Amino acid sequence: MDYRAYFTDALGRLHNERRYRVFADLERIAGRFPHATWHSPEGSKNVVIWCSNDYLGMGQHPKVIGAMVETSTRMGTGAGGTRNIAGNNHPLVELERELADLHGKEAALVFTSGYISNQTGISTLARLMPNCLILSDALNHNSMIEGVRQANCEKQIFRHNDMMHLEALLAAAESRRPKLIVFESLYSMDGDVAPVNTICDLADRYGAMTYVDEVHAVGMYGPRGGGIAERDGAMNRIDVIEGTLAKAFGCLGGYITGSTAVIDAVRSYAPGFIFTTALPPAVCAAATAAIRHLKTSQWERDRHQDRAARTKAVLAAAALPVMTSPTHIVPVFVGDPERCKAASDLLLAEHGIYIQPINYPTVPKGSERLRITPSPYHDDGLIDALAEALVDVWEKLGLPLKERALAAE
């Protein structure tokens, strides 16, 4: 039997659907972000990264790099195993204390990634509540969807940010039945924000537990970087706040925060935590340094918002189809998978601009786009060059400009 045929056929389907993905070989250079070196088959060249989730450039911050280097020199590179076997490395203990403080919670638990923290966190919480009903926003991230699936309990999907639909589902449920509402605070493909306090009002009214994913908001919103819930004065109303260390904090890992009982229960029952090697001490120390810095420094957040606003204004003035977003996410509508990939390729090859195409299944078919994420380090010259390059690519590919943008919005 030719087992390889199964896999070549599967890859062939991706090619036929124009969904096959190619990763650029990039080398980011500390101190020069958002500049990077692209190692292409034709040779190496300088490019500008416009789609990084290192939103604030903290991956190159001297405090963060210094903490990682010092800790790895002092403690070595690895964690030595799972925490059940190797124990807690001390920087990990300090990191969890810092995260609990960031979100005003009693405790925190760190995982190897934000994906795992959602997948195993949601499934474990729901399984520990007999006959739990999960109510999940229709646009939740795949990690949350997988967490809901693995819970093996009843789920109901409410229309995205539709509070009337959510309330109808809550009202129809038996009043004493455990209910878990899972949602994101900031949805990264469209850049829209959840009505956090309204969701909390409904949870209070119908006796539901709340779980919010803040991965695209921690570090960037709120006076100390606690996210949208902090900005909106709702942190104390959310039962479980989940976040990542890999985006605004510039490191690696995910986490959940909540009451001591909730966090200890997940720690004790979650397979995705119990059987996974812990984060290395150096990564924990670096993340802690980033969190501590952003708790007191407002410059990165203010500059980030300023850059995002200017990018939107310049692209819109160039008649490019910028989709409406109240946050730092700047989606530019394409609406076709082949031309979205072609636009990305032209930007990289001819203009030295790296923006990954966003195609199905990340977004629905027909809503393909370029997802642009300005950082505090994208200056006016880089923004103007981006607009000129996009206009050139749009003209070469025959993509519609402002009129199509109005339809997309």
Side-chain angles (χ1 to χ4, degrees):
M1 182 178 291
D2 182 9
Y3 287 100
R4 288 177 297 180
Y6 295 113
F7 307 110
T8 55
D9 287 349
L11 290 171
R13 290 194 297 273
L14 289 179
H15 282 287
N16 292 336
E17 296 169 10
R18 304 300 188 263
R19 292 200 292 123
Y20 182 77
R21 303 186 183 208
V22 178
F23 301 145
D25 182 353
L26 297 173
E27 181 180 345
R28 300 202 316 168
I29 304 167
R32 292 185 55 203
F33 182 75
H35 295 273
T37 300
W38 173 38
H39 300 286
S40 74
E42 289 74 34
S44 300
K45 63 181 289 188
N46 178 71
V47 298
V48 178
I49 298 175
W50 273 100
C51 59
S52 175
N53 282 346
D54 184 3
Y55 292 128
L56 302 180
M58 291 302 293
Q60 66 167 3
H61 196 284
K63 290 181 182 177
V64 179
I65 295 173
M68 179 172 281
V69 171
E70 187 279 328
T71 305
S72 60
T73 301
R74 179 167 49 91
M75 300 184 67
T77 56
T82 69
R83 292 165 73 172
N84 291 281
I85 291 172
N88 286 329
N89 66 73
H90 187 62
L92 183 46
V93 175
E94 291 185 319
L95 173 58
E96 289 179 341
R97 288 174 181 161
E98 205 68 40
L99 289 166
D101 174 78
L102 175 66
H103 294 293
K105 300 299 183 187
E106 294 175 351
L109 189 67
V110 167
F111 297 82
T112 50
S113 73
Y115 194 101
I116 296 298
S117 59
N118 269 335
Q119 183 186 54
T120 199
I122 292 170
S123 61
T124 302
L125 289 168
R127 286 199 308 267
L128 291 174
M129 295 185 286
N131 195 32
C132 180
L133 170 64
I134 300 179
L135 301 110
S136 179
D137 188 285
L139 293 190
N140 277 342
H141 188 263
N142 178 265
S143 59
M144 304 179 80
I145 294 170
E146 285 302 313
V148 171
R149 284 176 177 165
Q150 292 178 21
N152 292 319
C153 61
E154 184 183 355
K155 70 175 185 292
Q156 294 181 343
I157 310 301
F158 61 93
R159 291 184 293 271
H160 177 55
N161 278 350
D162 187 332
M163 296 299 97
M164 291 182 65
H165 190 207
L166 175 58
E167 181 165 19
L169 296 175
L170 286 166
E174 199 276 317
S175 61
R176 296 182 61 83
R177 183 180 188 183
K179 295 172 282 289
L180 178 65
I181 304 172
V182 296
F183 65 102
E184 298 183 46
S185 66
L186 194 162
Y187 293 84
S188 64
M189 289 301 113
D190 294 323
D192 57 335
V193 174
V196 177
N197 275 299
T198 304
I199 292 173
C200 291
D201 290 341
L202 292 175
D204 291 343
R205 188 176 308 157
Y206 293 98
M209 185 178 180
T210 48
Y211 179 109
V212 65
D213 173 316
E214 287 261 34
V215 296
H216 292 279
V218 290
M220 296 174 290
Y221 296 88
R224 296 200 311 157
I228 296 295
E230 183 188 28
R231 186 197 70 177
D232 293 353
M235 282 202 304
N236 65 327
R237 306 186 68 193
I238 302 286
D239 293 298
V240 179
I241 297 177
E242 184 268 350
T244 185
L245 306 169
K247 294 183 170 61
F249 297 131
C251 294
L252 174 72
Y255 63 88
I256 59 172
T257 64
S259 69
T260 300
V262 165
I263 299 304
D264 199 18
V266 175
R267 180 190 70 86
S268 302
Y269 281 91
F273 170 81
I274 294 170
F275 298 105
T276 301
T277 297
L279 285 184
V283 173
C284 297
T288 299
I291 296 164
R292 286 175 178 166
H293 175 79
L294 290 174
K295 281 180 177 177
T296 58
S297 175
Q298 189 62 30
W299 178 85
E300 288 84 359
R301 284 187 283 277
D302 290 344
R303 174 72 173 174
H304 186 232
Q305 291 297 317
D306 173 80
R307 299 291 83 193
R310 189 178 191 280
T311 301
K312 292 175 186 177
V314 170
L315 298 190
L320 289 156
V322 181
M323 300 168 69
T324 301
S325 160
T327 61
H328 62 280
I329 306 295
V330 186
V332 179
F333 185 88
V334 179
D336 177 85
E338 289 190 65
R339 293 202 287 179
C340 194
K341 178 65 166 61
S344 175
D345 291 343
L346 281 173
L347 285 168
L348 185 59
E350 297 187 6
H351 298 277
I353 289 173
Y354 176 69
I355 308 174
Q356 269 291 80
I358 305 296
N359 292 339
Y360 177 84
T362 307
V363 295
K365 292 179 179 178
S367 67
E368 293 82 5
R369 68 200 63 178
L370 299 178
R371 175 182 176 271
I372 297 168
T373 54
S375 78
Y377 302 98
H378 286 88
D379 60 28
D380 288 357
L382 292 179
I383 295 172
D384 293 341
L386 171 66
E388 293 173 7
L390 284 169
V391 169
D392 177 68
V393 167
W394 250 242
E395 291 175 349
K396 286 181 176 177
L397 294 177
L399 288 166
L401 290 168
K402 199 168 185 178
E403 294 77 15
R404 186 61 187 86
L406 294 174
E409 294 172 9

